[in-house]
């Protein structure tokens, strides 16, 4: 079946511009996560959506970052006024979240380069 | 001190060798321990998981958890060039929010 998809796969933008990154989770998965991965920094948690609950935004690095999840499915991560330090691979993952160990299935990521 | 510490490598070993990858952690409430494998330009994929302490074996892979020492390991026997990837340890208190290590880059030399 279809896995988690993300678009675009690559994004190059100029400093100060806004960008939107999209994630399509696996159908039926109620939990959705955004991570950032940069060289030397590992996988950094950004935000977590679970069903209709308020999202866990504790990982967002600044108020320039926001995310929404419409209809419990597709999610968009928005970065406003991009800075060079925002350059990284942004990964999305989804899981069933039905108790016990919930395997997270990752998308291929969006590679963001801020010039 | 970070919650999860993992040596980023790179680690280079000859084909056929036994590989040992390790992580330490500080949060004694962690219950789920996982290893993810990430190939270049791909997302991480769950390789193995363990609940609480103990060992788990799957083919050439063995995961060990020592909660008393707050130390987890992944062993790869008879390593193959196809095992070359980044290995990330991960752990959680509950079944959702996972804390990842930085990942160790592994190169298996043919």
């Amino acid at each position: 079946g279809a896995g988690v998809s993300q678009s675009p796969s690559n994004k190059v933008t100029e400093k100060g511009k806004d960008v939107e990154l999209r994630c399509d989770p696996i159908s039926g998965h109620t939990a959705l996560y955004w991570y950032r991965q940069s060289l030397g920094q590992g996988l950094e948690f950004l935000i977590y959506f679970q069903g209709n609950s308020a999202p866990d935004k504790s990982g967002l690095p600044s108020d320039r970052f926001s995310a929404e999840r419409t209809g419990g499915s597709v999610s968009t991560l928005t970065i406003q006024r991009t800075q060079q330090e925002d350059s990284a691979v942004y990964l999305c993952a989804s899981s069933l979240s039905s108790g016990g160990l919930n395997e997270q299935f990752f998308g291929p990521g969006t590679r963001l380069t801020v010039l | 001190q970070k919650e999860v510490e993992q040596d980023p490598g790179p680690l280079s070993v000859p084909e056929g060798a036994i590989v040992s990858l390790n992580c330490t952690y500080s949060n004694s409430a962690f219950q789920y321990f996982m290893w993810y494998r990430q190939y270049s330009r791909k997302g991480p994929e769950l390789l193995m998981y363990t609940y609480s302490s103990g060992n788990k074996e799957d083919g050439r892979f063995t995961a060990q958890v020592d909660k008393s020492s707050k130390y987890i390991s992944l062993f790869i026997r008879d390593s193959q060039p196809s095992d070359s990837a980044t290995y990330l340890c991960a752990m959680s208190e509950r079944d959702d929010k996972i804390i990842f290590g930085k990942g160790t880059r592994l190169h298996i030399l043919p």
Side-chain angles (χ1 to χ4, degrees), chain B residues 2-20:
Chain B
K2 290 188 181 295
E3 278 197 288
V4 179
E5 300 272 6
Q6 183 176 13
D7 187 332
L11 178 64
S12 297
V13 299
E15 183 177 355
I18 295 174
V19 176
S20 174

Side-chain angles (χ1 to χ4, degrees), chain B residues 90-107:
Chain B
M91 44 201 83
S92 69
E93 294 183 36
R94 308 180 306 274
D95 56 15
D96 45 22
K97 188 172 178 179
I98 297 176
I99 310 298
F100 283 87
K102 287 189 175 183
T104 299
R105 286 181 293 145
L106 174 66
H107 299 290

Side-chain angles (χ1 to χ4, degrees), chain A residues 10 33 35 37 40-43 45 48 56 58 91 97-108 111, chain B residues 2 32-34 36 38 41-46 49 86 88 92 94-98 100-103 105:
Chain A
N10 285 281
Y33 316 77
Y35 297 90
Q37 187 174 37
Q41 297 301 314
L43 210 57
F45 166 79
Y48 160 58
D56 177 352
S58 60
L91 289 159
S97 191
S98 57
L101 176 76
N102 290 298
E103 180 179 355
Q104 293 190 14
F105 293 84
F106 284 82
R111 185 173 298 271
Chain B
K2 290 188 181 295
Y32 293 96
F33 302 91
M34 293 147 277
Y36 280 76
Q38 184 178 21
R41 296 190 175 267
K42 301 284 187 183
E45 294 179 315
L46 181 65
Y49 76 89
T86 296
L88 302 102
S92 69
R94 308 180 306 274
D95 56 15
D96 45 22
K97 188 172 178 179
I98 297 176
F100 283 87
K102 287 189 175 183
R105 286 181 293 145

Side-chain angles (χ1 to χ4, degrees), chain A residues 31-53:
Chain A
L32 186 147
Y33 316 77
W34 283 98
Y35 297 90
R36 179 168 70 175
Q37 187 174 37
S38 50
L39 194 63
Q41 297 301 314
L43 210 57
E44 177 187 4
F45 166 79
L46 297 177
I47 189 169
Y48 160 58
F49 295 90
Q50 171 55 274
N52 295 321
S53 302

Side-chain angles (χ1 to χ4, degrees), chain A residues 27-100:
Chain A
S27 177
H29 281 192
T30 59
L32 186 147
Y33 316 77
W34 283 98
Y35 297 90
R36 179 168 70 175
Q37 187 174 37
S38 50
L39 194 63
Q41 297 301 314
L43 210 57
E44 177 187 4
F45 166 79
L46 297 177
I47 189 169
Y48 160 58
F49 295 90
Q50 171 55 274
N52 295 321
S53 302
D56 177 352
K57 303 179 182 180
S58 60
L60 295 179
S62 76
D63 59 7
R64 296 187 295 105
F65 288 73
S66 63
E68 61 178 23
R69 188 178 185 191
T70 54
S73 180
V74 172
S75 177
T76 303
L77 177 69
T78 301
I79 308 173
Q80 295 178 311
R81 306 181 301 282
T82 52
Q83 304 294 311
Q84 288 183 330
E85 60 263 29
D86 298 335
S87 297
V89 176
Y90 289 83
L91 289 159
C92 173
S94 69
S95 73
L96 277 172
S97 191
S98 57

